[in-house]
Amino acid sequence: MQIPAKLPGLKKLVILWAVYGVVWIAPEGVLWQTALLAGLTTAVLLGYLVQKIFSGRVLSSGWWVGGTAVTGALFGLLAGLLTLFFMALKTGLHAHGPEFSPAEINWVIRQLPWWTAVGLFTGAGLGLVGLGAASKQ
């Protein structure tokens, strides 16, 4: 698999992330909105990391699927950790008491292994789909 020099859609993703980040600051703490910001942030970070390290390289099938699986696992883990970070940040920015309940915080912590596993399998699956699509060209 050939990794493109510039990942398509990454600039548009950055614009979406920046706009959503500005909008996210104002409302009171809503868990799904915070998780969405964490997911967008993770996608932008991993997109730039992949582009920086692997742009223009050709990977064998095994390295491609393994790489997409690891990237997926990192996505799940980092999105969960950034959700916790943004929950704390939002509470600090608004400075009028907790934005999120202890139950919500504990729920995110309990989801970290699940989000990581889902990311791993999703990444591996997308890698296999990409391999299949590339072999038909």
Side-chain angles (χ1 to χ4, degrees), residues 16-25 30-45 75 78-79 82-83 85-87 89-90 93:
L16 174 68
W17 169 75
V19 169
Y20 185 73
V22 170
V23 171
W24 170 81
I25 291 172
V30 178
L31 184 56
W32 73 266
Q33 293 172 347
T34 304
L36 177 60
L37 180 64
L40 288 171
T41 304
T42 302
V44 168
L45 290 173
F75 184 93
L78 193 55
L82 281 174
T83 300
F85 171 77
F86 287 134
M87 290 168 84
L89 179 68
K90 184 105 174 200
L93 286 174

Side-chain angles (χ1 to χ4, degrees), residues 10-102:
L10 189 55
K11 284 186 181 181
K12 290 178 184 174
L13 182 63
V14 170
I15 292 167
L16 174 68
W17 169 75
V19 169
Y20 185 73
V22 170
V23 171
W24 170 81
I25 291 172
E28 295 301 314
V30 178
L31 184 56
W32 73 266
Q33 293 172 347
T34 304
L36 177 60
L37 180 64
L40 288 171
T41 304
T42 302
V44 168
L45 290 173
L46 288 177
Y48 274 108
L49 182 68
V50 166
Q51 185 173 281
K52 176 87 171 153
I53 295 173
F54 296 106
S55 67
R57 294 189 185 188
V58 177
L59 300 177
S60 68
S61 299
W63 279 103
W64 169 254
V65 174
T68 58
V70 168
T71 302
L74 284 173
F75 184 93
L77 178 63
L78 193 55
L81 293 174
L82 281 174
T83 300
L84 291 170
F85 171 77
F86 287 134
M87 290 168 84
L89 179 68
K90 184 105 174 200
T91 298
L93 286 174
H94 286 191
H96 59 68
E99 296 276 327
F100 301 95
S101 70

